Amino acid sequence: MIVTKNWLDEWIDLGGITTEELLKTFNSIGLEVDRHEAIRVPDGVIIGYVEQCERHPDADKLNVCQVNVGHDIRQIVCGASNVRQGIHIALATVGAELPGGLAIKAAKLRGVDSHGMICSAKEIGLPSIGEGIMILDESIGELVIGKNLNEYPAFNDDLIEIELTANRGDCLSIHGIARDLRAALARPLREIDNPENQDGRLGIGRILQLQHTDTFHTDLLFGAVDIKEIKTPFLITLRLALIDIACVSAVDALMSYATHSTGVILRGYPFEKFGDGENKGIITLDTDENGFAALYGKEKVSIVGVSQVKEAHFTSETGLMIIEASYIAPDVIAQNMGMNKVPSCPHYYRTSRGSEPKIDMGIRYATELFERYSSSQIYGGNIELLSSHEPRIISMSEEDFTSFIGLKIDKTTITQILKNLGMDIGKPKGSNFAISVPRFRHDIVNKQDIVEEIIRIVGIDNIPSKALVFAEANQMSDDLAEYKKTRMYRHRAAQSGFFESVHFVFNERLQVEKFGFACTEPSKELLNPITATFDTLRPTLLVGLLNSASSNVKVNQKRIALFEAGMVFDPQRQETKRLSFIVSGPMTNEKIANAGKPENIDFSAFTQLISNVVGDFELVAYTPSHTLAHPYICAKVMINGEEAGEIFRLHPQIEEEFDLAQTFMCELISDRLPYGLIEAKPYSKYQASYRDLSILVAQSVSYETIKSVIEKHSSEQIRRFYPVDRYVSESLGKQMSLTLRFVLQSDEKTLEEEDINAAMEWILSGLKEELGVSLR
């Protein structure tokens, strides 16, 4: 947001306040100053009046001007196309030094003496305001010939650019900034509250009417101006140039100036879009095909707060113009745009962050400009449609303020600050406040927001420091346990060779849905995403890790091993914590032991890495619903009999798309990971025995089935078992050879051969009976 000190002074008295004090005040109340630029026209640049202008006798593009400088007439040669007789100009006199070091001297141009230079805006250090020289008018004050320009406030000003957070849309105007200064400086606003002079004006109701059939969450106010002999005053042209707003016409300039000054969204339409000379114009408010509140005349002309049809802009210098002032709550318009994105215009930036709801002020300000700087006829009255609004009431006590701030602030001071911020304070009951939040402060929703307003006006530096009082309480809460659990697994991952990667909790919806993940429901989607690539809450950590791995590859990293612990969100915005991993490329770095050619990571090696972090787990056949996984190299992770996540190789097509080598990924549900006191279990002091069992079984039989049969027929001596070999060949047909290793041990004695054989026979008989296996 760009303001100038003198422009602010039109809304609030800044007399006696230096620029340095003003900048310090802005920073102290949370309006961070991003840029300050002093506007100072050099000495020796004065107001001149062109008495006579004739063509140069020896140059077609030069003019010889006789310029009145107050005490004499000076001859100036000027090449500007817009110089002419009868205008006031900025004249750099002989001896003046302009920005850039240009010193003005008497000279001869094509044989004609010239004593000075008629200046353009850029030549005296101002932004460009069009081709040619500056033509001054009394919008800057009374034009006194011979007076230095820097004696006029417009040429002795300070430009201030303020960095606003997204929730401070109420400060996107000169009036809004002044309103915040009112609380900081305890000075009244110069409000535009004077009623219009309606004497002799034709009522707008004679030419225009508004119709609607539904209730909309929008406020509308319409006025009418018959534009005649309009011009853009120099002061407005200069100020619009300072804030980088380019206008195509005088009408556009005055409307843009009024919007930037008041914060009210203003639009201008040609009357012909709604009616003609014989018929009254009709404006219809209705819902368009995308669910937005839209205005219609003979055809659709605009979406309230979002955009205006190009053909419906008022672009003429004469004619009857309908002025629209509108307000729509930012959460309403942002939600609509989130569900149905449509093209928008620059006004949408203000609307989506909170424009000025006092729309009658905007209409009055704009019509006053047209009345002052043109011969236009202003129509009396307005046509309005106002929505019902119940103010948000926040109840607080003096004790609340003291508790939050840590300092007792006088009740009168609190009341005065809140009133200066535009809040209504109900009649206090004892030490309680009933605070009515103004409509323009949509960002204030709870007690903490009220306290923040008090602190920023009082000043954080004005709150004395106090000694820290620490009363230790029981810290063993569920949150602490969850934190310690996450920290433990993060440390384990780092110890296992993974590097931690941290991402925003947002993803790009287009990319996430492309991979088959379910995103947040549209009705619960983000209203104001950070960027177009962070427009939805992430349903998985895998996409962020995949993007990070791709970025590492682009900087020539060969071995990539990343992990992340963080929250993910389901379509209902319910959050769960996940722990995810990605490994791509070689298993180890290049070194002498592998002759500089390390092997690429494979499924078993990746599984072992994950086991190093989370401990023992089992894998079950499983095909993920998303498309990141290789359909034949994937499994479900089971921990203590519960599904804890998934592990898979990245699909080869995606590996190719992201320029990755063979890549494996895993995502686990943090709540399913073991954590807590580890209880010691008794172990046998007797020697363990190992037996391998090779069986022939149908290839269609899954390992889970074999495992369940073995568990059913296992004796106490079978401590654990696991597959060590699988073999298939044409000679075996539809069968496969599976070798299982069994570990047998007793707590009471060293097992004898008879004990071992009995245990193995019991298992083999169960497998034969239930699965029809045979020994190989």
Side-chain angles (χ1 to χ4, degrees), residues 655-685:
E655 290 175 347
E656 182 179 355
E657 179 183 344
F658 283 83
D659 294 328
L660 295 173
Q662 186 164 284
T663 301
F664 293 87
M665 303 187 78
C666 175
E667 183 163 78
L668 303 172
I669 303 170
S670 294
D671 290 344
R672 307 285 169 82
L673 300 180
Y675 180 73
L677 294 175
I678 300 175
E679 297 182 5
K681 296 181 180 180
Y683 64 94
S684 176
K685 64 180 180 179

Side-chain angles (χ1 to χ4, degrees), residues 29 31 168 170-171 176-187 189 191 413-425 435-441 443-444 449-458:
I29 63 175
L31 303 181
R168 291 308 306 273
D170 60 298
C171 288
I177 297 292
R179 185 167 49 201
D180 244 34
L181 283 176
R182 172 179 60 181
L185 302 176
R187 297 189 178 190
L189 280 182
E191 296 278 8
T413 302
I414 292 175
T415 301
Q416 191 59 47
I417 289 174
L418 294 177
K419 286 185 175 179
N420 284 339
L421 286 170
M423 304 184 196
D424 291 330
I425 311 297
I435 304 166
S436 177
V437 180
R439 199 175 185 185
F440 59 81
R441 290 305 302 272
D443 58 312
I444 297 178
D449 295 329
I450 296 291
V451 171
E452 184 179 350
E453 294 299 299
I454 297 295
I455 291 176
R456 72 184 184 90
I457 300 302
V458 170

Side-chain angles (χ1 to χ4, degrees), residues 79-107:
S81 60
N82 61 335
V83 68
R84 62 183 184 273
Q85 182 178 333
I87 59 174
H88 289 84
I89 48 84
L91 176 67
T93 57
V94 173
E97 186 171 334
L98 302 185
L102 176 62
I104 304 302
K105 301 178 181 178

